[in-house]
């Protein structure tokens, strides 16, 4: 009896997957995430401008500036110095050295601006409890930062200071709720203060 030795051959079929519906699904997912994701708002820094009130006497302006002013001197190698009030080249100890850590510059600024920080904490709690609108929050926060009793910080960067040093100093203004600050120009008296403290004047370039 003859037996069949040939193997049966299976026909191969080309499988075609239609991905057209996936396009619609992707569009739906993109739309979903766009609607459900909160957009990041740009971060801005508030700037308090000097008062134009002509009734304020020059003597009063000088007194406020001297009693509330803090000057930061940014030098190379991440060196950071500060002094309070007017520069005193006769007293080497009037200039102090600190750093950019939380226990350095931040701790000092928080101590000097403690009253404003406490008021800001109370205002933040009101906002968290939805007891105040966003617009009123911004208005009251601006008033707290711009109060005449809050310190005014003058930031001066020597040529050797890095861009990161300046950014770190500006960040501390926001963290410590400092509303009045300005980037000033380095003067000869600033170089003298550092020379008196360290024995070496900062490099010109």
């Amino acid at each position: 009896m003859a037996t069949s030795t040939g193997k049966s051959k299976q026909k191969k079929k080309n499988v075609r997957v239609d991905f057209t519906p996936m396009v619609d699904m992707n569009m739906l997912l993109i739309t979903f995430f766009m609607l459900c994701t909160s957009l990041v708002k740009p971060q801005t820094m508030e700037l308090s401008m000097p008062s134009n009130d002509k009734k304020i006497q020059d003597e009063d302006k000088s007194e406020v500036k001297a009693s509330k002013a803090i000057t930061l001197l940014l030098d190379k190698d991440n060196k950071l110095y500060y002094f309070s009030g007017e520069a005193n080249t006769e007293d080497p100890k009037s200039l102090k050295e600190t750093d950019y850590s939380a226990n350095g510059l931040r701790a000092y600024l928080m101590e000097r601006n403690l009253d404003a920080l406490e008021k800001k904490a109370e205002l933040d709690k009101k906002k968290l409890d939805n007891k105040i609108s966003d617009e009123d929050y911004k208005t009251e926060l601006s008033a707290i930062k711009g109060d005449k009793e809050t310190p005014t910080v003058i930031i001066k960067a020597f040529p050797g200071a890095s861009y990161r040093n300046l950014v770190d100093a500006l960040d501390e203004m926001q963290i410590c709720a400092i509303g009045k600050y300005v980037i000033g120009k380095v003067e000869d008296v600033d170089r003298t203060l550092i020379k008196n403290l360290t024995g070496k004047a900062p490099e010109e370039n």
Side-chain angles (χ1 to χ4, degrees):
M1 184 174 179
T3 58
S4 175
T5 59
K7 295 181 179 179
S8 61
K9 295 182 179 180
Q10 295 181 351
K11 293 183 179 180
K12 294 182 179 181
K13 295 183 179 179
N14 294 328
V15 179
R16 182 177 178 275
V17 179
D18 187 5
F19 286 98
T20 303
M22 294 295 294
V23 177
D24 295 335
M25 182 182 295
N26 289 334
M27 291 301 299
L28 289 173
L29 288 173
I30 292 173
T31 305
F32 172 78
F33 287 120
M34 288 178 63
L35 294 176
C36 296
T37 303
S38 59
L39 298 179
V40 178
K41 297 181 180 180
Q43 299 294 324
T44 59
M45 291 184 178
E46 296 183 5
L47 179 62
S48 300
M49 300 302 292
S51 174
N52 290 325
D53 190 354
K54 295 182 179 179
K55 295 181 180 179
I56 300 178
Q57 302 294 326
D58 291 338
E59 295 179 358
D60 295 334
K61 294 179 181 179
S62 299
E63 182 179 353
V64 171
K65 182 178 180 181
S67 61
K68 300 300 179 181
I70 300 172
T71 302
L72 304 181
L73 303 179
L74 287 55
D75 200 6
K76 68 176 183 177
D77 298 329
N78 299 321
K79 294 292 185 180
L80 176 61
Y81 308 92
Y82 70 91
F83 64 89
S84 178
E86 296 181 353
N88 183 5
T89 57
E90 301 298 328
D91 181 13
K93 294 183 179 180
S94 63
L95 182 69
K96 302 183 184 301
E97 183 175 359
T98 186
D99 53 41
Y100 296 94
S101 68
N103 295 326
L105 177 61
R106 185 178 305 175
Y108 173 71
L109 292 177
M110 284 185 170
E111 181 183 356
R112 290 292 304 269
N113 203 33
L114 184 59
D115 185 59
L117 286 170
E118 291 177 348
K119 292 180 180 178
K120 181 180 180 297
E122 295 177 1
L123 187 63
D124 289 343
K125 189 176 185 305
K126 287 183 180 180
K127 187 175 184 298
L128 187 64
D129 296 338
N130 295 322
K131 295 181 179 180
I132 188 173
S133 65
D134 291 343
E135 192 65 28
D136 290 340
Y137 174 82
K138 292 179 181 178
T139 301
E140 292 191 27
L141 180 60
S142 180
I144 291 173
K145 289 184 176 182
D147 188 88
K148 64 179 182 178
E149 295 301 321
T150 58
T152 300
V153 180
I154 305 169
I155 305 172
K156 298 182 179 182
F158 286 93
S162 66
Y163 177 76
R164 176 62 182 273
N165 294 152
L166 182 59
V167 171
D168 288 344
L170 291 173
D171 285 344
E172 294 302 326
M173 301 301 108
Q174 300 302 309
I175 296 172
C176 301
I178 302 294
K180 296 175 290 185
Y181 57 91
V182 64
I183 299 177
K185 183 179 179 181
V186 174
E187 301 177 357
D188 291 337
V189 65
D190 302 320
R191 296 185 178 88
T192 302
L193 286 172
I194 294 181
K195 184 178 180 180
N196 291 345
L197 180 67
T198 64
K200 183 179 179 181
E203 297 179 3
E204 297 291 336
N205 297 315

